[in-house]
Amino acid sequence: MPEEAAPADVPLTELVRQALRDDIVSGRLRPGERIVQDSVAKRFGTSRIPVREALRHLASEGLVTLAPDVGARVARLNPGELIEVYLMREALEPIAVAQSVPLIDEGIIAEMRSLNEEGEARAAAGDMTGFLDLDRRFHELTFSGAELPRLRRVIDSLADTTTQYRRVYSLLPDRLAISHAEHRLLIDAFERRAPDDAAAVHRLHTSRTRRGLTHRPEIFADPDPEATKGEHRSRRRVTTTQVPIAEAYLARTPASQAMMRRAQQAMPGGSTRTVGWFPPYPVVFDHGDGPFLYDLDGREYVDLFGNGLSLIHGHRYPPIRQAAEAVLARGTAWSGASVPQIEFAELLRDRIPGADLVRFANTGTEAAMLAVKLARRATGRPGVLKAWAASPARPGRHSWLPPRCARAPCPGVPTVGGAR
């Protein structure tokens, strides 16, 4: 007796394809595992012809590999393929998304919202096949308004090769919650008719899969090393993509780029802290924890600067947070003297040799100006010696303009007659 019988309205080839696809996506068939056509035919009570056709369809989706004298196997995860395909997706798909934003109607946006909600429910129920199908349909809608047929065909072809990677990524801890949140951000950008924001969110969303998987080499291990003996060695070799530093930075920080565009509409250059600015735009941080900082794209950095060494204990150090919360519970700020201020001044005076009195300032610039004024008054000497440059190519750290602005324009800072 066959395990499964085909419904009258479903072609047998399609039934076999759907069943095998579900086995692969769910993980019941592992990467590299052999698919025996005779066993599949027996399972469905059919000949090998529908099975061969179903396997050809699955091969076109990138889920199965077919080789002469070897037969069919579940496609293995390949790090070189992952990097290549996802870099292409990250470059091309945002173009289609940006083109779609002003052209699709409210009905399509409502359908996107409905698919995302249903996808969240399927994922919560453990139906990964259903979730991945809905996820694919959701993203197809984000491209649906783009009147770029050649680009759409390339995008569809690339998407066909990523089902296995998307399945594995969805099994990583907390990844689905992040994915759902990014879907909601994408829907919000469509509702606001903001093509640049939609493209940035989509690029972030797509790149997160690549970054999440490339840092986990264990997922590329062959489950059956003997099964790979007949393959070309280059298929199993971990490849790296040589990308210029500037291009790699742009590809990795799309959310920071979008936020700095927004910031430049409110602040000259997008920032009032010029020491933290660098071309083409600085990283925009979301939060810090201990010795680490995290940007809007979810990338982790070791914070060696520590806000100019003021954060010697790192970010969110519990004793400091508790002390700050205790003070805030008594009020935010007083226009006058306070006990904490006096106690802090006494602490600094007692710990710094030669400090008889303490004067608090808002910034280092203000403190330096007060020190110069005090020195001129105490010595009676009006002149001030200023170190302009440590070398002919680089101004000193404490020059009035940051090094990158001393000889070249800073973004958002207007120039008049060549002078700043």
Side-chain angles (χ1 to χ4, degrees), residues 37-247:
Q37 294 188 28
D38 287 338
S39 298
V40 176
K42 183 178 179 180
R43 171 182 171 184
F44 290 92
T46 183
S47 69
R48 296 174 59 181
I49 295 175
V51 178
R52 284 199 299 268
E53 289 300 314
L55 290 172
R56 288 194 186 97
H57 283 293
L58 293 171
S60 70
E61 293 183 57
L63 294 175
V64 168
T65 59
L66 302 174
D69 303 323
V70 176
R73 291 186 183 274
V74 178
R76 296 180 181 88
L77 300 178
N78 183 293
E81 179 184 64
L82 167 72
I83 294 172
E84 179 184 9
V85 170
Y86 271 87
L87 285 177
M88 292 175 69
R89 289 187 60 194
E90 291 160 35
L92 299 177
E93 291 181 7
I95 298 173
V97 168
Q99 288 278 334
S100 289
V101 170
L103 298 176
I104 64 173
D105 57 35
E106 296 296 331
I108 297 295
I109 297 176
E111 188 176 353
M112 289 166 55
R113 189 182 302 105
S114 176
L115 286 173
N116 188 51
E117 292 172 354
E118 186 178 352
E120 292 185 29
R122 293 286 186 92
D127 179 8
M128 298 313 302
T129 302
F131 163 74
L132 291 175
D133 286 342
L134 291 167
D135 180 77
R136 175 77 179 265
R137 288 168 56 193
F138 173 88
H139 286 290
E140 287 174 347
L141 287 181
T142 67
F143 311 138
S144 61
E147 298 175 350
L148 302 167
R150 295 176 184 83
L151 178 62
R152 292 281 303 279
R153 287 196 293 271
V154 173
I155 289 174
D156 288 344
S157 175
L158 292 173
D160 285 342
T161 67
T162 62
T163 302
Q164 281 275 57
Y165 301 107
R166 290 165 54 228
R167 179 189 71 81
V168 175
Y169 178 79
S170 68
L171 299 177
L172 299 179
D174 301 322
R175 300 298 175 171
L176 284 182
I178 296 173
S179 179
H180 298 327
E182 289 169 346
H183 280 187
R184 292 192 289 271
L185 288 173
L186 193 55
I187 293 169
D188 175 72
F190 271 85
E191 290 175 334
R192 293 186 287 108
R193 303 297 179 177
D196 289 344
D197 290 354
V201 170
H202 186 87
R203 187 179 295 108
L204 165 65
H205 181 67
T206 306
S207 68
R208 197 182 296 280
T209 301
R210 172 177 56 82
R211 291 184 283 111
L213 294 182
T214 51
H215 294 143
R216 292 177 175 267
E218 68 274 10
I219 71 172
F220 300 105
D222 287 321
D224 179 10
E226 291 297 316
T228 66
K229 283 188 174 180
E231 296 184 2
H232 195 279
R233 292 182 59 85
S234 64
R235 172 171 169 75
R236 306 200 308 271
R237 183 176 62 245
V238 176
T239 61
T240 57
T241 302
Q242 300 297 323
V243 181
I245 291 176
E247 294 180 21

Side-chain angles (χ1 to χ4, degrees), residues 341-358:
Q341 181 189 51
I342 296 169
E343 291 176 343
F344 186 41
E346 292 173 340
L347 181 65
L348 293 175
R349 180 201 60 195
D350 295 341
R351 291 196 176 188
I352 300 175
D356 298 321
L357 296 171
V358 175

Side-chain angles (χ1 to χ4, degrees), residues 372-387:
V372 169
K373 192 172 183 179
L374 179 62
R376 294 177 68 181
R377 178 64 179 268
T379 63
R381 299 174 183 175
V384 177
L385 179 64
K386 178 184 176 185

